[in-house]
Amino acid sequence: MHIFVWGETHPEFADALMPMACQPTAITGRNRLWRAMLLDGIRSDPAWQGGDYVEQPRQGLRTAVDLLLLAGSAPMPMQRDLATREIADGWLAAQQDRRIPALDANDLWYQVNASWNYDPSAGLEKITAPLTWINSADDFINPPELGLSEQYAPRIRNGRYRLIPNSVDGHGHGTHTWAVFWKADLAELLAHSGR
């Protein structure tokens, strides 16, 4: 998301840009709803105390982790890997046990809230650097069926859009953290930009 903002705010600064797992538009629809639910889950925990908590608001963090797990998941590998009720239930419990102690409610709340007014859509024509924008078909947060890439990609002068196909090897919203899916795109982008 920062790449779109940076690319239009400082078009002369970058030699190449590669936004991944994002859209260059306001956070609306289902994307806004799951974020609002996460923020409300934290805020509604009485232990949060307006952010001045003594101990982490565990119920609020539990709700947040539940939503993060769903929003970041990929359906095909989860169906394969969580093939029985017992496995799925055990996986969820293990995720909660592992993730909740590693979180700070205020930090997470501010991370999610930071994108509340995000919307670089008005300035996409200002982006001049070669840009390769990559999303994945299994991304709950940026689903391709919304048609946003078809709407916005043509406005980016030196831009190219690629959708990583859905597969059992995907990682949902986290697919962008696995270079195997986009390393060839990066090499092509760098070659095109003269780097």
Side-chain angles (χ1 to χ4, degrees):
M1 293 166 61
H2 287 279
I3 290 173
F4 284 117
V5 173
W6 192 265
E8 66 184 44
T9 305
H10 304 285
E12 72 293 340
F13 185 80
D15 294 323
L17 301 167
M18 194 166 168
M20 295 188 277
C22 62
Q23 302 290 356
T25 189
I27 301 208
T28 59
R30 184 176 72 183
N31 193 357
R32 190 167 187 92
L33 291 179
W34 81 264
R35 292 167 190 263
M37 291 172 191
L38 186 149
L39 296 174
D40 289 345
I42 293 172
R43 270 192 305 244
S44 66
D45 185 327
W48 190 54
Q49 299 179 23
D52 293 324
Y53 45 83
V54 176
E55 293 183 15
Q56 292 292 330
R58 291 192 58 83
Q59 188 55 48
L61 288 175
R62 180 178 185 78
T63 299
V65 167
D66 286 345
L67 288 161
L68 288 168
L69 289 171
L70 282 178
S73 69
M76 290 175 73
M78 286 187 97
Q79 188 68 22
R80 177 197 63 206
D81 297 342
L82 307 177
T84 68
R85 286 178 279 198
E86 295 78 20
I87 293 171
D89 293 348
W91 180 85
L92 177 58
Q95 292 297 312
Q96 291 286 348
D97 290 346
R98 182 176 67 83
R99 292 175 185 238
I100 289 174
L103 291 173
D104 176 78
N106 279 335
D107 185 55
L108 180 58
W109 193 90
Y110 281 103
Q111 284 178 48
V112 174
N113 191 56
S115 60
W116 211 242
N117 295 321
Y118 168 82
D119 187 1
S121 63
L124 295 176
E125 289 81 4
K126 296 176 185 176
I127 297 173
T128 57
L131 180 144
T132 298
W133 169 20
I134 298 177
N135 280 345
S136 56
D138 60 357
D139 189 343
F140 174 98
I141 296 171
N142 302 293
E145 58 268 21
L146 298 178
L148 297 172
S149 58
E150 292 83 358
Q151 179 181 349
Y152 293 111
R155 294 180 45 206
I156 303 168
R157 186 177 343 176
N158 293 317
R160 179 175 86 80
Y161 177 77
R162 186 169 85 78
L163 183 66
I164 298 168
N166 197 359
S167 76
V168 295
D169 296 323
H171 300 276
H173 186 64
T175 297
H176 72 284
T177 62
W178 299 80
V180 66
F181 293 104
W182 48 260
K183 65 183 178 180
D185 298 285
L186 178 59
E188 182 182 322
L189 174 64
L190 294 175
H192 177 67
S193 69
R195 288 289 164 190

